Amino acid sequence: MSTAVPGRPAELPGERDTRAAVAVVEPSRPVLPRGLGRSAGRIAALTVCQAALMVGLGLLITGPARTLWPMTAEDGVNESFVRLRTGTLTTLSSVASEAGNTLTVIAVTLVSCLCLLLVPRLPRWRQAAFLALAVSLQSLVFLVITVAVDRHRPDVHRLDGSLPTSSYTSGHTGAATALYGGLAVLALSRLRGPWRAVVGCLLCAVPLLVAVARLYRGMHHPTDVVGGLLNGSLSLLIVGRALLMDGRITARPAAPAPAQAHTTDRPVPAPGHTAVIVNPTVIGRTDRDALRRVLAHHGHHAPVFIETTADDPGGGQTAGAARDGAALVVVCGGDGTVRAAADALAGSDVPLALVPCGTGNLLARNLGLPLAPADALDAALRGTARRVDLGHIEGDGLAPTHFAAMSGAGLDAAMVQRANANDRAKAVLGWPAYAIAVLQVLRTPRTALSVRLDGAPALRRTARMVLVGNIGTVQGGLTLLPSAEPDDGRLDLLILDPRGIGGWLAAVRMLLRPGTTASPARSAAGERQDDAGDEGGTPVEFFTFRRAEITFDAPQPRELDGDPVTAGRRLTAEVRPGALTMLLPTREK
C-alpha cells in the first residue's frame, strides 16, 4: 500500500528502499540488465581478436618459423615420449586424455552449470554463464583455427585414431583449460577453508595433465598443446573480465526527473533505520535486490542504500548514517570499504553487518561469514552482536586511523600495490591475483628496523616484511599470524626475513607448520620464545602486543587492509579492544 505525506506525492512500494546518495525511482516494469549488450559486444570483439592471434601464431609456426627453434626440436620431443611408453603410463595417459574429450567436457560443463543455477547457497547465473561461455568460445575459436591452419600430426605412432581436425591447436588441452581453469577460478573465489587452495590447485593441474597425455599419445606437437593452453586461457580472461565484474551488469534505472538529475541530497531517514553502505563497483542490482529481501525477511524494512565514491570509500557515508540515527549499518564491499566504515563506527554502539563483496574479504573469512553476499547478510542477521577489536595506527604521512584486518610494510605492501595496479587480473582471477603479484615482488629488498613492544627496550631486526594483524588467515587458507584473534584484546606481529632459497623454504615450512604459535610480550618485555638473538637468526618471528612502535631505516611501502597508503619510515600500532560492534554468526559450542 502506498503512503502519502502532505505536500509530496505518495510513495510507491519499495521507493524508500532504493533511495541513496542520488534519488532515483525504480521502474515498475522489467528491464534488461544494464551493460549486457555492451558486455556481449566486448566479448565478441575480443574473441575475434583471440581467433586472429591464434591463427596468426599457427601460420607463423607452420610457415616462416618452422625452421627455427623450438619448432626444429619438436620431433625429438615427440620421439622421446614414444620411448617412455609403458603399459601403465599408456593407461594413465588415456584417463588424462579423456578429461579433455569433447563428450567429457560437455557433460562436466552441463553438470557444473546446473549445480551453479539450482543448488542453494552456490553462485548464480553470472558464474554459470562464465563457465559455459568460456568453454563454448574456446571451442568456436578452435574450429576457426583448424580451418585456417593446416598442420599435420607428429610423424610417430599415434595411440588414438586420426582426427579430422588439424594438429594445431590441441582441442583437448584448450577445452580442459577453459573448463577446469574456470572451475578453479570459481572454487578459489567462492570456497572457504584450507581445502580451497587444494581444490584450486588440483583443478589447475588437469589441463597440464591433459597436455602431457596428448604429447605422450603422439597426437600433437609441443607447440600445439601450448597453443591449446593459450587458447583456453584467453577465453577465460575475456569472459571473466566481462561477467565476473559484479556490478557491471546490473539493472538499468529509469532516467531521473530533470529536477533530480544533479541532486546529491538524500532524504533524512527515520531514527532506527537500516543504512546499507554499498561500493557500486563490486555489487550490482541483482545482489542489491537479494539484500533487500534478506533484510525484509529479518524485519529491516525500507533500508537506505548509500553508495561510496572514489573520494570517500565509505567512512563519510557511515558517519553520516550514524548521525542520522541508523540502528544498523550494513557494509557491502571489500576490506577497504569495511575498514573505512569500521573507522567511522569505532567506539560507537551502532552494529555493523558485513557483506563481503571484494577480492580478499579477509575479515569475513576469519569471522566465518559466507562469501556470497545474501548468505553473509542472512548469517549475520541470524547471529548475535559481538564486540571485536580494531587496530589503531598512525605514522609519518599517515593520519591516525583504524584497521580491522591487517596492516603491513615491505613485501606485503609491495604485493598489494602490484595487484591493485592490475585491475584486470583482480577482476578475472579474484584473490589469486595477489599470489601472482607476490611472485613479482619477491626481490623486494630487506631493510633494518627497530621494534618497541609495550614500552620494552627496542629490538633491532632486518626484514623483508612486517605485518601487524588483528586476524591471522589470508587468502588460500594460509595462516600468517597463528595466534591472532579478532577479540582477544591484542594485536599480532610477523617479521619475515628469509635469506636465500633455504631461508624461503624454511619460512614456508614454518608458516605451514601446524601448531605454530606467537611469542607474547612476556612481562611487557617483548621477548621471543626462540634464542636467535637480537640480530635475527630465524626467517619468521611472531609476537603479540598491545602497542608497537616500528621504525624503519629507509622508507617502506605500506598498506592498510589491502589498500596502499603513502610510504614512510614509522608505524605506531595499538589495539582498541572491543571498539567495533558486529553482527556475527553464533559461535558453535
Side-chain angles (χ1 to χ4, degrees):
M1 177 181 298
S2 63
T3 59
V5 177
R8 57 170 294 186
E11 290 183 338
L12 295 174
E15 182 180 18
R16 292 183 63 198
D17 293 13
T18 62
R19 290 187 305 212
V22 178
V24 175
V25 179
E26 291 181 350
S28 58
R29 57 185 178 84
V31 292
L32 293 175
R34 180 179 61 185
L36 183 59
R38 182 172 55 187
S39 296
R42 185 185 299 115
I43 291 175
L46 290 177
T47 301
V48 171
C49 295
Q50 174 187 347
L53 172 64
M54 297 304 303
V55 169
L57 290 175
L59 295 176
L60 181 65
I61 291 171
T62 58
R66 67 179 182 277
T67 59
L68 303 177
W69 189 90
M71 272 61 73
T72 55
E74 290 192 307
D75 291 340
V77 173
N78 289 112
E79 292 168 358
S80 297
F81 274 104
V82 172
R83 291 193 294 269
L84 291 175
R85 288 176 181 173
T86 65
T88 301
L89 290 178
T90 298
T91 301
L92 292 175
S93 72
S94 177
V95 174
S97 180
E98 281 300 312
N101 188 37
T102 300
L103 293 179
T104 303
V105 170
I106 293 175
V108 174
T109 302
L110 287 175
V111 171
S112 300
C113 290
L114 287 175
C115 289
L116 288 170
L117 291 172
L118 301 179
V119 175
R121 303 182 71 84
L122 283 180
R124 294 176 295 278
W125 71 268
R126 189 180 288 114
Q127 285 74 20
F130 158 71
L131 189 64
L133 273 177
V135 173
S136 301
L137 290 182
Q138 180 282 143
S139 300
L140 177 62
V141 173
F142 165 73
L143 292 177
V144 172
I145 295 170
T146 58
V147 171
V149 181
D150 184 16
R151 191 180 198 192
H152 297 293
R153 297 188 181 274
D155 189 18
V156 296
H157 175 65
R158 295 188 285 275
L159 298 180
D160 294 329
S162 297
L163 300 177
T165 54
S166 170
S167 180
Y168 175 89
T169 62
S170 170
H172 282 65
T173 306
T177 302
L179 172 58
Y180 301 106
L183 290 174
V185 169
L186 298 180
L188 290 172
S189 62
R190 294 289 175 173
L191 296 181
R192 296 192 297 112
W195 287 103
R196 180 174 60 251
V198 175
V199 172
C201 290
L202 290 176
L203 288 169
C204 289
V206 174
L208 299 177
L209 293 175
V210 172
V212 173
R214 301 304 288 169
L215 291 174
Y216 177 92
R217 301 183 71 79
M219 301 306 298
H220 295 284
H221 305 278
T223 49
D224 300 335
V225 297
V226 171
L229 291 169
L230 178 60
N231 188 35
S233 299
L234 288 175
S235 293
L236 285 175
L237 286 171
I238 291 171
V239 179
R241 173 67 175 174
L243 295 186
L244 296 188
M245 291 281 287
D246 289 345
R248 291 300 181 88
I249 301 180
T250 58
R252 181 173 58 247
Q260 298 174 318
H262 301 289
T263 180
T264 58
D265 296 331
R266 58 183 176 86
V268 177
H273 72 286
T274 298
V276 185
I277 311 301
V278 178
N279 182 342
T281 67
V282 296
I283 188 167
R285 167 69 175 274
T286 302
D287 286 328
R288 295 191 196 199
D289 290 342
L291 296 180
R292 288 191 186 93
R293 289 192 293 270
V294 173
L295 286 167
H297 177 74
H298 289 276
H300 297 269
H301 300 286
V304 178
F305 280 70
I306 310 171
E307 292 188 353
T308 64
T309 65
D311 296 328
D312 189 343
Q317 294 87 344
T318 303
R323 287 193 303 269
D324 290 340
L328 171 65
V329 173
V330 179
V331 179
C332 309
D335 289 316
T337 306
V338 175
R339 188 204 67 77
D343 182 57
L345 293 178
S348 76
D349 293 325
V350 179
L352 181 151
L354 172 56
V355 177
C357 302
T359 304
N361 301 318
L362 293 186
L363 187 61
R365 295 175 192 273
N366 281 264
L367 293 175
L369 285 168
L371 296 184
D375 294 341
L377 181 57
D378 181 66
L381 295 177
R382 291 180 184 275
T384 57
R386 284 170 46 194
R387 288 279 189 176
V388 298
D389 305 334
L390 291 176
H392 182 269
I393 195 162
E394 57 185 294
D396 52 322
L398 178 61
T401 187
H402 293 86
F403 66 91
M406 294 179 175
S407 175
L411 177 64
D412 172 63
M415 173 201 67
V416 168
Q417 290 179 350
R418 179 62 65 93
N420 286 1
N422 192 344
D423 291 337
R424 176 173 298 180
K426 285 182 62 178
V428 174
L429 299 178
W431 70 258
Y434 289 103
I436 297 174
V438 77
L439 296 176
Q440 298 172 318
V441 298
L442 278 179
R443 296 181 65 85
T444 298
R446 64 173 43 86
T447 185
L449 65 143
S450 63
V451 182
R452 185 187 301 274
L453 301 177
D454 296 335
L459 305 174
R460 287 292 294 177
R461 294 290 186 270
T462 58
R464 292 186 184 274
M465 181 177 82
V466 172
L467 188 66
V468 177
N470 189 37
I471 57 172
T473 302
V474 297
Q475 297 93 337
L478 177 64
T479 299
L480 294 181
L481 296 166
S483 293
E485 295 289 344
D487 57 358
D488 61 357
R490 305 177 73 91
L491 296 176
D492 284 63
L493 172 67
L494 164 69
I495 299 179
L496 180 69
D497 188 29
R499 298 171 183 266
I501 296 178
W504 280 106
L505 292 176
V508 172
R509 185 169 59 252
M510 292 181 68
L511 292 173
L512 295 178
R513 183 174 61 199
T516 301
T517 57
S519 306
R522 191 166 61 234
S523 301
E527 297 175 358
R528 297 173 301 163
Q529 291 179 343
D530 64 82
D531 297 317
D534 282 350
E535 291 303 318
T538 178
V540 182
E541 290 185 87
F542 303 98
F543 300 90
T544 63
F545 64 91
R546 292 183 177 87
R547 178 182 172 87
E549 301 170 52
I550 306 171
T551 304
F552 301 95
D553 287 5
Q556 297 296 303
R558 301 180 294 189
E559 59 91 8
L560 289 177
D561 283 348
D563 285 337
V565 295
T566 180
R569 295 181 58 246
R570 291 187 293 105
L571 284 176
T572 299
E574 187 173 5
V575 67
R576 295 293 167 86
L580 181 65
T581 302
M582 296 190 68
L583 295 185
L584 298 174
T586 304
R587 291 173 171 174
E588 296 182 1
K589 297 182 179 180

